[in-house]
């Protein structure tokens, strides 16, 4: 057995960091100190846990086994501590949350600040990223996600409704006639957002029982939603954006909704959690807080 629980936390940290240099940054020590501690752990266990070089770090078969066991043991320990604290009415520890960049800045950051005010003993770590791999997902207690779900192993809890809307600015519409049917978008200047590994130039519409799919010409593309919206506001072209992001611009008249009788696939806001079983008290509290915050209507529909 390792000397203490800190050995397990150490090994999980360096594994999830992907390199000794990144692990050293997260642990606030030197890379040589990380390497030395890893060597001591391997000597104690009597086996090599990882292959490492200056740029590469990968686990051996024994390292994979040890990492999986360490993650499970730390999760069980965390759940046990949470259960004891919950019985005493105390919620503490660290809550690791991930969310999309734009939505995170506009809505999630403020929600976390208010949640922390209610639970000051709780530490909250927020990571904003529009791309989260399956391996990275394991680092978080809860991931706020918008749009289609790619990882079916995670459980999705509803947070707020969110539609996708086709929009353009009055400046653009002054020089181009607004489309009356989705197929007409093929002749328009379109701005596309690269996200969630979707086919971003294929826009799918539905009107009652009628479906339409159109391949749009992407005159501009970006992986940043705010950039796409700004381009549209400047009159560069037509965009498809989440309701939460364009509601204010639509209300002020800076953007105009196109094809209002046609619907695109919804992109509801959900919370992704690894499993239904064994949710800690802090995760349950934060999930309930988020769900209540966006009811009965989210801010973009008020």
């Amino acid at each position: 057995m390792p000397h203490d629980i800190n050995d397990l936390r150490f090994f999980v940290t360096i594994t999830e960091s992907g390199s000794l240099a990144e692990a050293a940054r997260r642990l606030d020590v030197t890379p040589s100190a990380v390497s030395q501690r890893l060597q001591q752990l391997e000597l104690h266990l009597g086996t090599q846990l990882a292959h490492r070089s200056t740029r590469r770090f990968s686990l051996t078969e024994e390292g994979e086994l040890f990492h999986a066991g360490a993650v499970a043991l730390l999760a069980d320990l965390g759940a046990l501590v949470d259960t004891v604290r919950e019985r005493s009415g105390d919620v503490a520890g660290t809550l690791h949350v991930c969310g999309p960049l734009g939505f995170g800045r506009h809505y999630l950051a403020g929600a976390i600040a208010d949640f922390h005010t209610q639970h000051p003993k709780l530490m909250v770590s927020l990571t904003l990223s529009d791309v989260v791999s399956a391996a990275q997902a394991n680092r978080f207690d809860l991931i706020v996600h918008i749009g289609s779900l790619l990882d079916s192993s995670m459980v999705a809890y509803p947070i707020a409704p969110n539609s996708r809307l086709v929009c353009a600015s009055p400046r653009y519409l002054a020089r181009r006639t607004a489309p009356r049917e989705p197929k007409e978008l093929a002749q328009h200047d379109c701005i596309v957002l690269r996200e969630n590994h979707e086919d971003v130039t294929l826009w799918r519409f539905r009107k009652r029982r009628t479906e339409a799919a159109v391949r749009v010409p992407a005159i501009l593309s970006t992986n940043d939603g705010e950039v796409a919206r700004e381009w549209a506001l400047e009159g560069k072209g037509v965009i498809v954006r989440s309701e939460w992001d364009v509601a204010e611009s639509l209300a002020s008249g800076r953007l105009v909704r196109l094809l209002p009788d046609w619907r695109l696939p919804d992109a509801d806001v959900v919370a992704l959690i690894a499993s239904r079983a064994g949710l800690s008290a802090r995760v349950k509290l934060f999930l309930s807080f988020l769900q209540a915050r966006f009811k009965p209507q989210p801010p973009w529909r008020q």
Side-chain angles (χ1 to χ4, degrees):
M1 288 291 293
H3 292 97
D4 56 41
I5 201 71
N6 289 326
D7 283 338
L8 301 181
R9 293 194 178 101
F10 164 76
F11 190 70
V12 169
T13 298
I14 64 171
T15 300
E16 293 178 350
S17 299
S19 70
L20 296 183
E22 173 61 18
R25 188 189 67 80
R26 294 186 185 185
L27 294 167
D28 196 23
V29 296
T30 64
S32 60
V34 173
S35 180
Q36 184 177 11
R37 184 171 178 182
L38 177 59
Q39 290 176 358
Q40 291 173 347
L41 180 59
E42 289 175 327
L43 285 172
H44 186 72
L45 294 171
T47 188
Q48 184 178 0
L49 298 174
H51 305 291
R52 60 267 198 189
S53 63
T54 304
R55 297 182 179 179
R56 187 171 179 272
F57 180 88
S58 62
L59 296 182
T60 63
E61 185 176 346
E62 292 77 15
E64 294 280 3
L65 180 64
F66 187 69
H67 175 256
V71 169
L73 284 170
L74 290 172
D76 288 344
L77 177 62
L80 175 60
V81 172
D82 285 334
T83 299
V84 173
R85 283 174 171 161
E86 188 175 10
R87 290 174 67 91
S88 65
D90 190 17
V91 179
T94 302
L95 178 69
H96 297 276
V97 180
C98 182
L101 284 166
F103 187 85
R105 287 191 292 261
H106 282 82
Y107 293 105
L108 191 54
I112 287 176
D114 291 344
F115 181 72
H116 184 263
T117 299
Q118 294 181 14
H119 305 283
K121 292 184 179 180
L122 186 66
M123 293 182 291
V124 185
S125 171
L126 173 62
T127 299
L128 297 182
S129 175
D130 287 329
V131 180
V132 181
S133 68
Q136 292 172 322
N138 293 328
R139 293 171 44 196
F140 304 106
D141 297 305
L142 182 149
I143 299 174
V144 175
H145 180 79
I146 300 175
S148 59
L149 303 178
L150 299 178
D151 186 356
S152 60
S153 67
M154 302 192 81
V155 181
Y157 296 84
I159 299 297
N162 176 57
S163 299
R164 283 191 173 115
L165 308 177
V166 188
C167 309
S169 71
R171 182 177 172 183
Y172 176 82
L173 296 174
R175 61 185 175 87
R176 299 294 299 273
T177 303
R180 293 166 296 180
E181 299 288 336
K183 63 182 180 181
E184 296 177 17
L185 289 168
Q187 279 70 53
H188 276 265
D189 297 337
C190 294
I191 302 165
V192 300
L193 178 64
R194 302 187 304 271
E195 60 181 355
N196 296 338
H197 307 290
E198 296 177 357
D199 187 350
V200 294
T201 62
L202 185 64
W203 294 0
R204 300 181 182 275
F205 296 85
R206 177 189 292 272
K207 184 169 69 172
R208 293 184 289 277
R209 295 185 179 181
T210 303
E211 295 184 357
V214 56
R215 180 71 67 180
V216 301
I219 63 154
L220 292 170
S221 67
T222 177
N223 66 337
D224 189 295
E226 290 192 16
V227 170
R229 189 188 67 244
E230 287 303 314
W231 282 341
L233 288 169
E234 292 171 9
K236 300 301 294 183
V238 179
I239 57 167
V240 167
R241 280 302 289 142
S242 278
E243 181 184 2
W244 71 262
D245 190 35
V246 295
E248 185 176 330
S249 297
L250 290 170
S252 67
R254 298 179 69 206
L255 286 177
V256 177
R257 184 179 178 184
L258 306 178
L259 303 170
D261 294 335
W262 293 83
R263 289 185 61 87
L264 291 121
D266 288 334
D268 292 340
V269 184
V270 299
L272 300 180
I273 299 176
S275 171
R276 291 186 188 274
L279 291 185
S280 65
R282 57 181 176 266
V283 173
K284 290 178 184 176
L285 271 175
F286 185 61
L287 176 60
S288 297
F289 176 86
L290 278 183
Q291 290 174 325
R293 190 176 180 90
F294 292 97
K295 288 181 179 179
Q297 290 286 353
W300 51 89
R301 291 193 177 179
Q302 293 175 8

